[in-house]
Amino acid sequence: MRKQVGQGRRTQEALRQSEERFRLLVAHALDAVITIDVQGRITSWNPQAERLFGWAQEEVLGRLLSETIIPPTYRDAHERGLARFRATGEGPVLDRRIELTALHRNGTEFPVELAITPMRSGKTVLFSAFLRDITEAKRAEESRRQSEASFRLLFTSNPLPMWVYDVATMAFLEVNAAAVANYGYSREEFLGMRITDIRPPEEVPRLEAALTGLGAEADPTVRRHAGTWTHRLKDGRIRDVDIISHAIDFAGRRAALVVAIDVTELRQTQASLAKSTERLRILHEIDRALIAAEAPGAIAEAVLRRLRDLLGVPRAIVNLFDLATGEAEWLAAAGRRRIRLGPGVRFPLSLMGDVEALRRGEPQVIDVAALPRGPDAEALLASGVHTYMVVPMIAGGELIGGLSFGGAPGEFTAEQIGIAQEVAAQLAIALAQARLHERVKRQAEELEQRVQARTRELSTANDQLQREVAERQRAEAEADRANRAKSEFLSRMSHELRTPLNAILGFAQLLELEVERPADRESVEQIAKGGRHLLTLINEILDIARIEAGQLPLSPEPVRVGDAIQRVLDLARPLAAARRIELESDGAALHPQHVWADQQRLQQVLLNLVSNGIKYNRDAGRLTVACDAAEADRIRISVKDTGSGIAPALREHLFQPFDRLGAEQHGVEGTGLGLALSKRLVEAMGGTIGVESVPSEGSTFWVEFLRAESPIERLARTEPSPAVLAAPVELDGTVLYVEDNLSNLRLVERTLALRPGVKLIPAMQGRLGLALAQQHRPDLILLDLHLPDISGEQVLRELHVDPGLRQTPVVVLSADATPGQVQRLLAAGVRAYLTKPLDVRQLLALLDEVLRTGNA
Ligand code: ADP
């Protein structure tokens, strides 16, 4: 017993120590440790349990475990388990690691790992439960599970072929469904193959080299490779593949996970895109060359090299066809080797195939081997061309050339043909245009050359012309000089001749009075007659010479026709009487009309015509001076005789100097100068002269002059009424007017009628004027410069040397308004210079002024 007791004590002590150890163990355990009795009541609760469930030990001791940490849904199962253990001493959950859901004091549920161990102490059975929160572990596991699942999903159902291979052996370790589908091998076949088996043999060395590099990589986890490879499918098809490869660890082996992207189509699309871009570029290049107006050769050169590369052939040539000669000409070429130099080489058109087919637009394929042996075929073979295609170039329906390309024997692809045709068509247009352009340019150049040649010709002709003009001017100047010399000579000669002639005529007249013997008288008469003839001759020659030298002073003014005719008739009357010729005047209605002429020269012409009409008339004939209106406001004065008339053949000689038409033989006196001088005078006055004659009936000589307004008419038209022109004061005095033109005389007469106190003395000749001046001592002298006997300037000079007349104011009235003349006379002491047609108001003002000062 003691022993028992002692044993019991020892046992108790041991138990106590063991419990204490257990307690410490439990208190420091990492897991929550809970003990319960068979009723399920909590008997111990360590600090971890406190932390894990939120309950303090003292709160839970004695509580049912199920109510404390088991969520209500699991409580029944827990109670049933305990009950079964109580009944059978067995429990399926005992001594095992189980997982279940626990409840925290705050109501949250969480997964725990649990191991329940029954502890028997005598009859008492306790259960100790070790619990561990496995929320984290659970979560980690879940995520691993999920990531694995997604990887699987990614791998197996990836549409891109994927595989894993052993880096060391290159054996396939895993492949996905896409790989199986794309490459044609089954999974099993794959797993028996190496990655080199899906490559064409030529790719293998590159692959092996790449793998060696891969193996040398230091950190296998970060390796990732990408690259493009060529793969061979089971059926032998070759594909372009982009590869992305990741180094991975596969069941402890160094492996690579590969994603393969088949880029064959993509590459093809890219290539064809590049090709079509290049095609467009070539066409564009042709356009550009065309627009830049490049020569045909340059246009072809610009694109041939690119075209050749695009076609993928060693050689491309553009030839132009000369269908007429049956030859083709090499325009431009791009090729590996140039066998012949430069464009311009000609060869038979037969090398281009069937020309008729080309004309229809059909490309020709030529097998060089089938061509006749010759340098052309040899040259082609030497440049690596065994087969070539000729694509026709047709512009405007005309076959202008061919685009040839070729190389190794073989078929031409539809694409090559398409490209070549497209380029040939464009080139044809461009070349045709360029040729046209060149033609136009050539023509323009030719034209330019022709223009230049013509310009040279013209300039030569022009030089010639200028030389001729200069020559003519020189000749004219020479002629002028000669003319001047001639008229100078004539005027000097006439002066020299006139002086002795005056003596001859003067003494002849004296002798006429003295000699008594009839024979002597006749001699003297002959001398006088000869002298007069000579004087007329000299005067007429002098006039003609002056007219021709343009030196005959003319003073045209309105001349009253009736006055002119009357004066001539008066002068001719004695001559007519001697021949018993009746003088008549006709057309008196026109006598008041005026013509524009020099009064004295008109007189001279008319006198000449009238004296001819008498001289060449028959005795007791008739001479009529008529006046008619002629065309274009002209007045015709005609002199009609009843002489023998003039033969038509002779008429053209009438007006030539010294041609007397045989009159000299009939003893009619004359110089043969009268009509020649008349014609020149009439024309110098703007008139015309002519003759009509009926042989044996008589001749009619006529002159025509422009009708002129008479000074009186003009006065009536332009001047104000006499009342306006009336004198401001009563004036008287004497005015001498030296003037041979009756019209002017009448005008001045009318004008002076406005000054009743003034007396007008007219003088129609210079000498008469001088005599009247000396006799009447007028207060004013009006002087015309153009007088029949002496010139007005001569009158002026003589007035100036006469002491009695020197102070008398002289006013010149002249038709000559040349400034030089006006200045000269004003300088010579003339009071004023009035020009005709006369300004009556001006004349009156002058008259008033002069007479008023004279009266004062
Ligand atoms: P001139 O009378 O001095 O010979 P003209 O020049 O006046 O010279 O005339 C030239 C010539 O014309 C005259 O010689 C004369 O033969 C001819 N002739 C002139 N007037 C007449 C006329 N009215 N009738 C016939 N013949 C005339």
Side-chain angles (χ1 to χ4, degrees), residues 97-126:
R97 242 186 99 257
I98 57 166
E99 285 177 16
L100 50 78
T101 305
L103 180 70
H104 190 272
R105 186 180 187 175
N106 65 12
T108 56
E109 295 179 10
F110 57 99
V112 290
E113 193 181 55
L114 171 71
I116 301 174
T117 314
M119 294 192 301
R120 288 163 214 276
S121 169
K123 283 197 182 132
T124 351
V125 177
L126 289 175

Side-chain angles (χ1 to χ4, degrees), residues 479-496 541-542 544-546 548-551:
D480 247 29
R481 205 188 51 72
N483 233 358
R484 270 199 309 280
K486 190 175 87 183
S487 57
E488 234 168 70
F489 165 74
L490 284 173
S491 82
R492 181 160 310 160
M493 190 187 73
S494 66
H495 181 74
E496 297 297 323
I541 284 178
L542 205 63
I544 288 178
R546 279 209 196 119
E548 282 178 352
Q551 285 175 351

Side-chain angles (χ1 to χ4, degrees), residues 327-634:
E327 284 180 315
E329 185 176 326
W330 192 2
L331 182 66
R336 274 190 194 136
R337 254 188 293 168
R338 285 213 165 179
I339 299 307
R340 285 171 164 175
L341 277 178
V345 175
R346 288 183 155 247
F347 51 86
L349 212 48
S350 57
L351 286 178
M352 300 285 99
D354 179 353
V355 174
E356 276 315 307
L358 286 171
R359 253 197 240 274
R360 291 193 298 271
E362 296 166 17
Q364 300 291 300
V365 175
I366 285 120
D367 181 4
V368 179
L371 288 175
R373 293 279 108 198
D376 298 306
E378 293 301 329
L380 283 165
L381 288 173
S383 64
V385 177
H386 296 269
T387 315
Y388 60 90
M389 173 172 272
V390 181
V391 177
M393 299 197 300
I394 296 173
E398 193 199 337
L399 177 65
I400 63 162
L403 169 63
S404 317
F405 63 98
E411 299 270 292
F412 291 98
T413 65
E415 186 187 42
Q416 284 177 315
I417 300 172
I419 293 173
Q421 282 181 324
E422 196 175 63
V423 173
Q426 191 83 351
L427 263 181
I429 296 168
L431 294 183
Q433 283 289 327
R435 280 162 128 194
L436 194 69
H437 183 79
E438 286 208 328
R439 229 182 2 248
V440 170
K441 212 165 90 182
R442 233 189 349 266
Q443 277 170 0
E445 278 166 9
E446 265 173 37
L447 201 66
E448 174 74 7
Q449 275 167 9
R450 287 226 295 275
V451 166
Q452 278 175 2
R454 187 83 191 99
T455 308
R456 273 196 299 278
E457 274 171 29
L458 281 177
S459 110
T460 314
N462 196 33
D463 289 351
Q464 174 70 19
L465 203 65
Q466 276 179 354
R467 273 198 300 279
E468 280 170 13
V469 167
E471 177 59 25
R472 194 163 307 158
Q473 280 171 346
R474 205 191 52 72
E476 271 169 17
E478 177 62 21
D480 247 29
R481 205 188 51 72
N483 233 358
R484 270 199 309 280
K486 190 175 87 183
S487 57
E488 234 168 70
F489 165 74
L490 284 173
S491 82
R492 181 160 310 160
M493 190 187 73
S494 66
H495 181 74
E496 297 297 323
L497 287 175
R498 249 194 286 212
T499 315
L501 257 183
N502 276 334
I504 291 169
L505 286 172
F507 286 113
Q509 281 167 40
L510 282 179
L511 277 176
E512 266 179 345
L513 298 176
E514 282 167 22
V515 293
E516 277 162 19
R517 281 197 323 141
D520 291 344
R521 183 172 289 275
E522 201 178 320
S523 301
V524 173
E525 259 172 29
Q526 283 302 324
I527 291 169
K529 193 175 156 195
R532 278 196 301 275
H533 180 79
L534 209 53
L535 190 62
T536 315
L537 193 67
I538 288 167
N539 284 338
E540 286 176 344
I541 284 178
L542 205 63
D543 278 349
I544 288 178
R546 279 209 196 119
I547 291 173
E548 282 178 352
Q551 285 175 351
L552 185 79
L554 287 174
S555 175
E557 57 188 337
V559 179
R560 189 170 178 274
V561 176
D563 291 347
I565 292 174
Q566 195 53 51
R567 191 117 41 112
V568 170
L569 288 178
D570 288 347
L571 287 172
R573 225 173 285 285
L575 203 61
R579 301 276 321 272
R580 290 181 290 111
I581 287 171
E582 198 181 331
L583 289 183
E584 274 184 4
S585 172
D586 201 2
L590 288 177
H591 283 186
Q593 297 282 346
H594 287 68
V595 289
W596 188 253
D598 179 300
Q599 147 119 347
Q600 287 154 41
R601 294 304 180 177
L602 174 62
Q603 206 78 68
Q604 188 180 353
V605 169
L606 290 180
L607 191 58
N608 186 32
L609 296 184
V610 166
S611 59
N612 274 355
I614 294 168
K615 276 199 295 184
Y616 301 106
N617 214 324
R618 58 183 161 83
D619 283 336
R622 195 182 324 113
L623 184 117
T624 314
V625 179
C627 189
D628 297 286
E631 279 175 14
D633 204 21
R634 292 159 86 87

Side-chain angles (χ1 to χ4, degrees), residues 533 540 608-617 623 639-646 650 653-664 666 668-678 691 693 698-701:
H533 180 79
E540 286 176 344
N608 186 32
L609 296 184
V610 166
S611 59
N612 274 355
I614 294 168
K615 276 199 295 184
Y616 301 106
N617 214 324
L623 184 117
V639 179
K640 185 180 177 188
D641 64 49
T642 50
S644 54
I646 303 155
L650 296 177
H653 299 285
L654 275 175
F655 301 100
Q656 284 170 8
F658 300 112
D659 200 336
R660 300 201 60 211
L661 313 181
E664 59 277 15
H666 299 94
V668 183
E669 263 184 50
T671 58
L673 285 171
L675 283 179
L677 176 60
S678 296
V691 63
S693 179
S699 311
T700 306
F701 283 81

Side-chain angles (χ1 to χ4, degrees), residues 280-302:
L280 281 177
R281 228 177 251 154
I282 288 175
L283 298 182
H284 174 72
E285 185 61 25
I286 297 173
D287 285 349
R288 185 205 57 74
L290 174 60
I291 290 163
E294 285 179 7
I299 294 178
E301 287 276 2

